[in-house]
């Protein structure tokens, strides 16, 4: 659903750098743009979910409760490919893990207390975090977080509903929609490949998955790829390249 | 049907739990360099694995659909030129559809 995975590490700089206060109108316009984009993506998600054999209610439940695009696409993608439910679940959770790390900058900006934590947590996603940390002042950051989160939530779920309605009635293959899921995953992956270690991990994961396809049950190669990331993450940063992975 | 619902709900609540952990855990845990590095690399590995299985895995056998590969290739070129995900998506499915039509 977006490209802001590395944004959390820039938070400190964003919070202390003096910059002109962004007018709420500009934030609202940006949030509306992101919302429309999410609506279009929601339609794609709904169509893919319908094609994967999920009911409209199940697709809507994913958008309304899970509410994190890459995990949703991964879950329906694994199920559509005949993978086990456990494999789909694991892929969704591993991709959703990044949202936990967005919690650090979001908490600094929102300072949610008590029960508000439960509510705020639901809207912690790529786009709301990126918009919040991009604002020069906490007040603008809070506004950006809620404007983006709520607009996106509304249009993402509406788009999903529309997608499930049209998704089951179209010829997926003739329209080239079987390229939809890998195209979305590639678009999400691309901006992250600017880091050298990320490129190495991508290559390692591709090799592991290709090697395991004929050997392991469906879905397992995807989980095995996570081991590549964990191994690479535990390796210390190389001398002289310490900031590269930040 | 029941297992699909169970997967949908467990995965959804799990993803919410990760978000909640993020706004609840002490910063020192999530700010640990190795934790941060691993968290940044996990999506890279998962997304790569999803692309590869989508393109080359047919229930445990190798497969390659040239129309789909052409579409993904067109998408990769669009990404190389800095196009947005929506453009990449539309180009990929359009290329796949046309390639399938002419092949």
């Amino acid at each position: 659903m977006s490209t802001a995975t590395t944004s959390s590490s820039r938070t400190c700089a964003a919070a202390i750098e003096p910059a002109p206060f962004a007018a709420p109108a500009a934030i609202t316009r940006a949030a509306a743009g992101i919302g429309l984009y999410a609506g279009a993506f929601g339609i794609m998600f709904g169509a893919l979910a319908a094609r994967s054999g999920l009911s409209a209610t199940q697709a809507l439940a994913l958008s309304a409760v899970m509410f994190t695009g890459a995990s949703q696409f991964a879950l329906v993608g694994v199920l559509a490919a005949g993978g086990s439910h456990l494999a789909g679940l694991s892929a969704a959770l591993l991709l959703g893990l990044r949202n936990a790390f967005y919690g650090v900058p979001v908490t600094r900006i929102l300072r949610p207390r008590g029960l508000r934590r439960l509510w705020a947590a639901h809207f912690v996603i790529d786009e709301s975090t990126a918009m919040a940390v991009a604002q020069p002042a906490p007040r603008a950051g809070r506004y950006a977080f809620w404007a983006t989160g709520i607009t996106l939530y509304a249009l993402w779920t509406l788009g999903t509903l529309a997608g499930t309605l049209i998704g089951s009635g179209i010829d997926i293959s003739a329209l080239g929609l079987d390229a939809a899921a890998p195209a979305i995953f590639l678009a999400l992956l691309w901006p992250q490949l600017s880091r050298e270690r990320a490129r190495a991990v991508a290559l390692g994961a591709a090799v592991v998955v290709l090697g395991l396809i004929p050997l392991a049950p469906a879905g397992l190669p995807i989980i095995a790829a996570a081991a590549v990331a964990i191994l690479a993450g535990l390796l210390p940063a190389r001398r002289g390249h310490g900031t590269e992975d930040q | 049907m029941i297992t699909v619902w169970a997967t949908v709900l467990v995965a959804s609540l799990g993803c919410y739990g990760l978000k909640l952990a993020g706004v609840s855990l002490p910063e020192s845990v999530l700010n640990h360099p190795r934790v941060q590095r691993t968290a940044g690399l996990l999506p890279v590995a998962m997304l790569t694995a999803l692309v590869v299985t989508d393109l080359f895995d047919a229930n445990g056998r190798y497969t390659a659909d040239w129309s789909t590969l052409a579409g993904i290739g067109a998408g990769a070129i669009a990404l190389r030129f800095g196009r947005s995900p929506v453009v990449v998506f539309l180009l990929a499915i359009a290329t796949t559809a046309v390639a399938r039509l002419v092949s």
Side-chain angles (χ1 to χ4, degrees):
Chain A
M1 211 155 57
S2 113
T3 54
T5 309
T6 57
S7 62
S8 56
S9 52
R10 289 196 295 270
T11 317
C12 294
I16 54 174
E17 267 172 25
F21 186 85
I27 299 175
T28 309
R29 271 198 303 277
I34 293 172
L36 288 177
Y37 182 81
F41 250 44
I43 294 175
M44 297 168 202
F45 172 72
L48 278 172
R51 176 201 165 202
S52 310
L54 263 68
S55 70
T57 329
Q58 287 164 341
L60 261 179
L62 284 176
S63 286
V65 184
M66 183 180 277
F67 186 45
T68 175
S71 296
Q72 295 178 229
F73 276 111
L75 179 63
V76 300
V78 170
L79 294 185
S84 70
H85 290 269
L86 194 62
L89 176 69
S90 311
L93 291 177
L94 286 168
L95 277 168
L97 189 61
R98 72 190 186 290
N99 290 325
F101 292 85
Y102 294 160
V104 175
V106 166
T107 307
R108 275 185 210 140
I109 294 165
L110 294 186
R111 302 259 164 237
R113 293 274 172 269
L115 287 177
R116 295 200 60 174
R117 246 180 234 281
L118 298 174
W119 176 242
H122 192 49
F123 295 91
V124 177
I125 50 167
D126 298 311
E127 291 84 351
S128 57
T129 306
M131 282 284 285
V133 303
Q135 308 311 320
R139 210 177 115 230
R142 281 194 290 275
Y143 179 76
F145 177 84
W146 289 112
T148 310
I150 291 173
T151 311
L152 199 150
Y153 185 78
L155 290 170
W156 174 244
T157 45
L158 281 176
T160 302
L161 180 63
T164 56
L165 296 178
I166 59 169
S168 45
I170 50 176
D171 186 347
I172 296 287
S173 182
L175 289 174
L177 280 174
D178 39 357
I184 288 167
F185 293 136
L186 188 67
L188 292 171
L189 172 66
W190 199 271
Q192 306 190 31
L193 295 180
S194 55
R195 295 171 297 159
E196 191 190 324
R197 193 178 291 219
R199 283 197 296 274
V201 166
L203 188 66
V207 169
V208 165
V209 170
L210 275 176
L212 283 177
I213 283 173
L215 305 173
L220 197 81
I222 293 176
I223 300 170
V228 177
I230 293 166
L231 254 153
L234 293 179
L235 288 174
R238 265 176 301 164
R239 203 157 39 90
H241 293 266
T243 55
E244 189 175 52
D245 291 307
Q246 292 309 303
Chain B
M1 216 46 192
I2 288 171
T3 54
V4 176
W5 263 119
T7 307
V8 164
L9 291 178
V10 171
S12 296
L13 294 176
C15 283
Y16 172 73
L18 289 168
K19 293 176 179 178
L20 187 60
V23 299
S24 308
L25 284 176
E27 278 190 24
S28 56
V29 176
L30 295 169
N31 271 341
H32 191 281
R34 282 188 180 169
V35 175
Q36 286 247 335
R37 212 160 42 224
T38 309
L41 293 172
L42 270 174
V44 174
M46 302 314 292
L47 292 168
T48 306
L50 287 163
V51 171
V52 172
T53 49
D54 274 349
L55 294 180
F56 302 109
D57 183 3
N59 281 323
R61 291 213 319 272
Y62 288 118
T63 184
D65 178 75
W66 300 111
S67 304
T68 313
L69 287 176
I72 297 305
I77 292 167
L79 283 166
R80 178 69 188 75
F81 286 96
R83 300 293 153 197
S84 75
V86 166
V87 172
V88 170
F89 171 86
L90 292 174
L91 191 67
I93 59 172
T95 307
T96 304
V98 170
R100 194 158 287 148
L101 208 62
V102 298
S103 65

